Amino acid sequence: MEPARGPCGSPVSGPAGAAAPLGPSAPLEPRLRRLEEELALVRAALADALRRLGLYEQHLPRLLRLLPRATNGAVPEPCLQLDPDGLPLTPPGLPQTISVGTQTEEMMPTLEGQPGASGDQGVPQEPPPPGSPPCPPAPAPASPEPPAPDSPTAAPSLAPRGAHKELRPKEPTQSPGTRRGNYNLEGVSVKMFLRGRPITMYVPSGLGPYGGLRTELPPERLQLDWVYGYRGRDSRSNLHVLASGELVYFMACVVVLLHVPLRRQRHYLRHSDCVRCLAVHPDRLRVATGQAAGVDKDGKLLQPVVYIWDSATLLTLQQIGLGSFERGVGSLAFSTADHGAFLCVVDDSNEHMMSVWDCARGTKLVEVKSTNESVLAVEFNPQDSSSVITSGKSHIYFWTWSGATLTKKQGIFGKYKKPKFIQCFIFNADGDVLTGDSEGNILTWTRVTGDGCTPGKGVKETYQIGQQTRAHEGSIFTLCHRRDGTVLSGGGKDRRVVCWSPALALLQEAELPERFGAVRTIAEGPGDELLVGTTRNALLRGTLDTGFTPIVQGHTDKVWGLATHPSCCLFLTCGHDRQLCLWDGQEHALAWSLALEDTGLCADFHPGGQLVAVGLLTGRWLVLDMTTQQLLAGGSDGNEQLSVVRFSPDGSFLAIGSHDNFIYIYSVTEGGRKYTRFGRCTGHSSFITHLDWSKDGHFIMSNSGDYEILYWDIAGGCKLLRNRFESRDREWASYTCVLGFHVFGVWPDGSDGTDINSLCRSHHERLVAVADDFCKVHLFQYPCACPKAPSHVYGGHGSHVTNVRFTHDDEHLISLGGKDTSVFQWRVLGGPTPPCSRSPCTPEPGVDPDSR
């Protein structure tokens, strides 16, 4: 369900129906793909027409038998009013829509999406509304077998079998149409449309029009409680220590302030897209952060901007450069010599525009094109604000700022090998510049005048290399000037942190464990303590003598799988980095991490809480012991990816939904250690996306990639329930299916059917949390059976939100980012007061739970 995206994973859309021209120069493969999609749409329309024709023919004998008894040859109305599925509509005289004032209120939202099955298959005959005159019984036709997935009458899948969800770019959405949805005022069914395809949902008995439900904003709200992870894989100079002792870094759209001893986080949440760079003012109180550009769900450009804010109050002091930057903000630096009066910004445009801003007024003082190559770092000379240095791919530039002009001089390498990248640089106590490059060398650049004399104010100056020091194997990602005058360097390939004397003599070194990755940045903590950010998104704390331990850890690639423990504040995540992680939501820490054999896409806890099932990209599933992390069982059903694994409420069955269109059912015995194939649910015409068990553990409700809603009798032999009307009053142990009567109100106008990635009902059945494709988490009231239902909307993720789950006590909600690799823990505020009892998730005494 992931669309094409702009920088940092923001969704990208375009004009409705826009398609690339199929000219001679177009690649053959895209042309063929578009033709296949058009053919699939035609096949779907034909299959739908044949199905509807069959339903009309099914009712024809009944109508013909009634003709002789009709007055004046007229057919009685109660037997003629049938919907397109052959179901009885409203009794005579009742309107199809409700009129409000002078306008007609549409009974269902109009949604658009990719072509697929309507979800109305297999409902040949439903009971008439209560009170309707009985019609003579018609001969019961033989129940047809569901069409094979590849048969001509089967509704097409959204993508070829086995195609990974993320490899199918989503077409641009368009504004909702004016097509009116049908609603039976007697409470039989409602319809919603995804790109014109009808999806029928049956109203539970005892509910009147609109199901007797009125959806309002829930009294509960969400507050961001904890952000797991750190963005070290592709950003630099992103870890600093504030005057308060808090660490400041960023993840997705959130700037995190972490107080390590208190295990407390605060969050700056003003940014609308991923934060890319960070600078701390010389007073160590004010912070500047710059973000990437992106687009919203309507395709409107979100302009990159820099915010200057107060770390004590989290209040924004200044907004810098709205409308001035392109693509994003790449590097930031406060001036030092004049107490942080100026801010230098380099954007991510082709020319990497460099500008200097007045921090107090927010005005631009000077701007110039810097280079067509990537710029990785920028800094003011700490002794002279008129001197600025930038470095990056194959260059280091020494800039002089005078009035409204910025002039540069390129660093000359002379006899020294020119590196591919100059990753970082610092100023030492003598005013010299030390650079770290991709060759593993530290170069010392000395400032001299044109005649080689001592530099002076206003004299033409330049820099030349005075010393080369071999420091690391591979790139040097960071340099840090310590309070005692020594220099620290961090290596990429060798993962070493090395301490150097002011003259660059080797003093001491330490190597990071391989699982944490390379050194990305280094900051000084209290005393001899060092803080290290790594390329595998971890923050470490320690010294060169004692080594380093993690204080923050996270995923390093897209995250999809999520499961919450049935009885305590623990949850599991897995993703494309092939890591299965167990998180302690009470301690806000990683409990353990296990390497999987392949990408993990879904997970679920056994009701007893001691076992966990994990589904992989290869079609293989695993069952692991939570305590020992040992493999207890496993299997493989086909060779296509698994979308969902789910234990039944009593733990006696395991259901596995696959991209091969089947749901595999296993019986579970011996305390969850033995798994025997029980059956297979066959009938979906596209890949399985979501499924839920009934509370009695006998039935399953499932959704597929072509928007079908099907029901299965598992206890009766994994049979497809063709009369879906009979399942309208069934109670479900969980509700994660994104299509169904109880949740159809969560779908926005103009949706293309892939805009909602995940949905979860709370355990007390009052809330529905939704993860959408536009970086947002929504909180709805449950049931949400009203068109255009209102919701509380929360940002923070910088990419599509892939999954959401409530913890066992509904006190927290967990959400996953996709490409931003983030894991957010939200606190649920408001609502009924829970009983006062100490639980595994109860905050420790003396700590304000809302202060986290």
Side-chain angles (χ1 to χ4, degrees):
M1 295 186 179
E2 178 185 349
R5 297 190 171 274
C8 212
S10 296
V12 176
S13 61
L22 299 179
S25 61
L28 181 59
E29 185 176 350
R31 296 175 61 190
L32 181 60
R33 188 183 306 116
R34 292 183 182 280
L35 291 175
E36 289 176 347
E37 291 176 354
E38 293 178 3
L39 180 60
L41 183 60
V42 172
R43 290 175 58 192
L46 178 60
D48 187 60
L50 292 174
R51 178 179 58 81
R52 292 171 184 263
L53 182 60
L55 292 175
Y56 283 126
E57 291 177 351
Q58 171 186 316
H59 289 283
L60 185 59
R62 183 200 317 178
L63 300 177
L64 293 176
R65 287 196 299 272
L66 290 174
L67 283 176
R69 291 182 287 176
T71 305
N72 299 327
V75 182
E77 280 188 334
C79 296
L80 282 179
Q81 292 185 339
L82 306 173
D83 72 2
D85 288 327
L87 299 178
L89 282 178
T90 57
L94 287 181
Q96 290 292 329
T97 58
I98 296 178
S99 296
V100 181
T102 59
Q103 297 181 349
T104 300
E105 179 180 352
E106 294 184 3
M107 305 307 299
M108 288 299 303
T110 302
L111 306 174
E112 298 181 345
Q114 296 181 354
S118 67
D120 299 334
Q121 295 174 339
V123 191
Q125 187 172 350
E126 307 287 4
S132 299
C135 294
S143 298
E145 290 296 324
D150 295 328
S151 68
T153 58
S157 300
L158 298 182
R161 283 190 178 183
H164 196 279
K165 177 188 295 184
E166 296 190 343
L167 299 181
R168 294 188 306 278
K170 185 172 64 177
E171 294 182 4
T173 61
Q174 51 185 331
S175 301
T178 57
R179 182 172 181 176
R180 179 176 302 160
N182 296 324
Y183 184 84
N184 189 310
L185 295 183
E186 285 295 307
V188 174
S189 67
V190 295
K191 285 183 185 290
M192 64 181 290
F193 292 85
L194 293 177
R195 208 178 192 181
R197 306 291 299 181
I199 300 173
T200 300
M201 295 162 288
Y202 295 98
V203 182
S205 59
L207 300 181
Y210 280 93
L213 302 172
R214 182 176 181 179
T215 304
E216 300 175 347
L217 281 171
E220 293 87 350
R221 292 179 176 271
L222 299 181
Q223 175 182 299
L224 187 57
D225 182 41
W226 201 266
V227 174
Y228 297 89
Y230 151 82
R231 184 165 183 165
R233 71 191 191 279
D234 61 354
S235 60
R236 294 168 172 79
S237 188
N238 57 357
L239 174 64
H240 298 268
V241 181
L242 300 173
S244 62
E246 294 171 298
L247 308 186
V248 58
Y249 57 94
F250 52 81
M251 186 68 180
C253 304
V254 181
V255 185
V256 181
L257 294 88
L258 171 63
H259 196 294
V260 178
L262 296 181
R263 293 299 298 171
R264 181 188 67 195
Q265 279 189 359
R266 296 187 296 137
H267 309 101
Y268 181 73
L269 300 170
R270 184 69 182 271
H271 287 281
S272 59
D273 209 284
C274 281
V275 181
R276 298 300 305 275
C277 53
L278 180 151
V280 174
H281 194 274
D283 62 11
R284 298 177 63 200
L285 177 65
R286 284 171 280 179
V287 179
T289 47
Q291 71 174 59
V295 294
D296 63 14
K297 65 180 181 179
D298 298 321
K300 183 180 178 181
L301 182 67
L302 298 176
Q303 295 176 325
V305 68
V306 174
Y307 290 113
I308 300 176
W309 47 279
D310 188 317
S311 62
T313 62
L314 300 181
L315 296 177
T316 301
L317 305 176
Q318 196 65 257
Q319 178 178 280
I320 298 288
L322 184 64
S324 297
F325 309 128
E326 293 184 27
R327 298 184 183 172
V329 180
S331 302
L332 289 171
F334 280 104
S335 61
T336 304
D338 46 24
H339 309 292
F342 306 109
L343 181 72
C344 186
V345 183
V346 181
D347 71 10
D348 284 332
S349 63
N350 289 336
E351 296 83 12
H352 294 93
M353 301 299 295
M354 177 177 168
S355 54
V356 179
W357 300 76
D358 186 314
C359 294
R361 297 180 176 86
T363 56
K364 182 165 55 180
L365 303 177
V366 61
E367 184 178 44
V368 67
K369 297 179 181 179
S370 63
T371 176
N372 289 331
E373 304 289 357
S374 58
V375 177
L376 303 179
V378 60
E379 288 290 344
F380 281 93
N381 188 318
Q383 301 173 357
D384 182 7
S385 294
S386 66
S387 176
V388 184
I389 298 179
T390 60
S391 71
K393 184 177 181 181
S394 303
H395 78 271
I396 179 169
Y397 292 141
F398 302 93
W399 299 83
T400 301
W401 172 30
S402 178
T405 61
L406 273 168
T407 57
K408 70 180 178 182
K409 288 186 179 180
Q410 185 167 358
I412 305 300
F413 290 88
K415 65 179 181 180
Y416 298 97
K417 180 182 178 181
K418 187 176 183 179
K420 185 174 182 180
F421 289 95
I422 297 181
Q423 312 267 19
C424 54
F425 63 87
I426 58 172
F427 293 86
N428 65 12
D430 299 327
D432 295 337
V433 177
L434 306 181
T435 61
D437 59 39
S438 54
E439 304 298 322
N441 296 318
I442 299 177
L443 299 178
T444 303
W445 299 75
T446 304
R447 184 164 63 166
V448 297
T449 59
D451 56 2
C453 300
T454 304
K457 191 71 174 179
V459 179
K460 188 175 182 181
E461 300 169 356
T462 186
Y463 284 82
Q464 65 182 22
I465 299 175
Q467 180 182 349
Q468 175 178 282
T469 305
R470 182 65 179 174
H472 291 271
E473 181 184 356
S475 291
I476 299 175
F477 284 150
T478 185
L479 292 171
C480 176
H481 189 257
R482 304 187 74 177
R483 291 184 290 264
D484 61 4
T486 59
V487 175
L488 295 170
S489 62
K493 187 176 181 180
D494 59 13
R495 307 189 312 279
R496 291 188 303 144
V497 179
V498 183
C499 181
W500 307 87
S501 71
L504 296 184
L506 178 61
L507 298 178
Q508 196 176 6
E509 65 178 270
E511 183 177 331
L512 302 185
E514 184 177 0
R515 69 180 184 276
F516 298 129
V519 180
R520 176 60 77 189
T521 189
I522 302 174
E524 276 195 289
D528 294 335
E529 184 178 85
L530 299 177
L531 300 154
V532 179
T534 76
T535 57
R536 290 188 64 81
N537 294 350
L539 290 181
L540 311 180
R541 179 177 62 169
T543 67
L544 295 176
D545 294 322
T546 61
F548 297 89
T549 57
I551 54 176
V552 173
Q553 293 176 265
H555 282 279
T556 59
D557 207 340
K558 288 168 284 191
V559 194
W560 281 94
L562 173 63
T564 52
H565 196 278
S567 60
C568 61
C569 200
L570 299 172
F571 59 93
L572 274 162
T573 58
C574 56
H576 286 245
D577 59 1
R578 302 188 179 187
Q579 294 294 313
L580 178 67
C581 298
L582 177 68
W583 305 89
D584 187 332
Q586 173 65 32
E587 298 296 329
H588 299 135
L590 179 66
W592 53 256
S593 178
L594 179 68
L596 298 172
E597 61 190 60
D598 209 300
T599 296
L601 296 177
C602 50
D604 191 43
F605 279 97
H606 187 273
Q610 297 302 314
L611 310 173
V612 62
V614 183
L616 306 181
L617 179 67
T618 57
R620 180 167 169 77
W621 54 271
L622 313 171
V623 178
L624 304 170
D625 186 284
M626 286 291 299
T627 304
T628 64
Q629 295 94 59
Q630 296 297 313
L631 180 65
L632 300 178
S636 183
D637 295 298
N639 57 2
E640 299 193 29
Q641 71 182 61
L642 303 182
S643 304
V644 55
V645 292
R646 187 65 52 82
F647 284 100
S648 61
D650 60 359
S652 59
F653 290 103
L654 174 65
I656 301 171
S658 173
H659 266 226
D660 64 7
N661 305 355
F662 302 130
I663 301 174
Y664 300 92
I665 307 297
Y666 284 82
S667 61
V668 182
T669 55
E670 299 181 7
R673 284 166 170 76
K674 183 177 180 181
Y675 294 78
T676 306
R677 173 75 77 83
F678 178 80
R680 186 179 71 172
C681 300
T682 303
H684 272 296
S685 54
S686 186
F687 56 89
I688 312 302
T689 58
H690 308 83
L691 65 85
D692 291 291
W693 286 90
S694 61
K695 289 186 176 180
D696 59 13
H698 295 164
F699 301 91
I700 281 179
M701 169 175 58
S702 59
N703 293 166
S704 61
D706 54 1
Y707 324 129
E708 287 180 318
I709 308 172
L710 298 184
Y711 301 90
W712 312 87
D713 181 358
I714 304 303
C718 302
K719 296 179 180 178
L720 172 65
L721 298 177
R722 298 187 176 278
N723 191 336
R724 295 186 294 114
F725 177 84
E726 295 178 353
S727 297
R728 63 177 181 162
D729 292 327
R730 191 158 285 124
E731 295 185 344
W732 303 101
S734 62
Y735 212 117
T736 62
C737 287
V738 297
L739 295 173
F741 173 79
H742 294 82
V743 297
F744 75 79
V746 307
W747 286 88
D749 281 348
S751 174
D752 71 349
T754 67
D755 292 337
I756 294 178
N757 296 319
S758 177
L759 175 151
C760 182
R761 182 190 68 190
S762 62
H763 296 85
H764 54 49
E765 302 188 12
R766 295 195 301 268
L767 299 172
V768 172
V770 169
D772 75 12
D773 236 16
F774 308 105
C775 317
K776 298 295 188 291
V777 174
H778 299 256
L779 193 65
F780 292 88
Q781 189 181 61
Y782 180 86
C784 189
C786 181
K788 303 178 183 179
S791 68
H792 299 301
V793 184
Y794 301 92
H797 286 290
S799 177
H800 57 292
V801 186
T802 56
N803 218 326
V804 286
R805 288 291 183 272
F806 286 95
T807 55
H808 74 290
D809 54 6
D810 292 328
E811 291 188 1
H812 295 89
L813 176 74
I814 311 299
S815 62
L816 304 183
K819 290 182 178 179
D820 65 22
T821 74
S822 61
V823 179
F824 286 2
Q825 179 174 316
W826 306 82
R827 184 178 295 276
V828 181
L829 304 177
T833 303
C836 183
S837 62
R838 180 74 175 174
S839 70
C841 291
T842 304
E844 59 271 20
V847 176
D848 179 8
D850 294 331
S851 67
R852 293 180 173 176

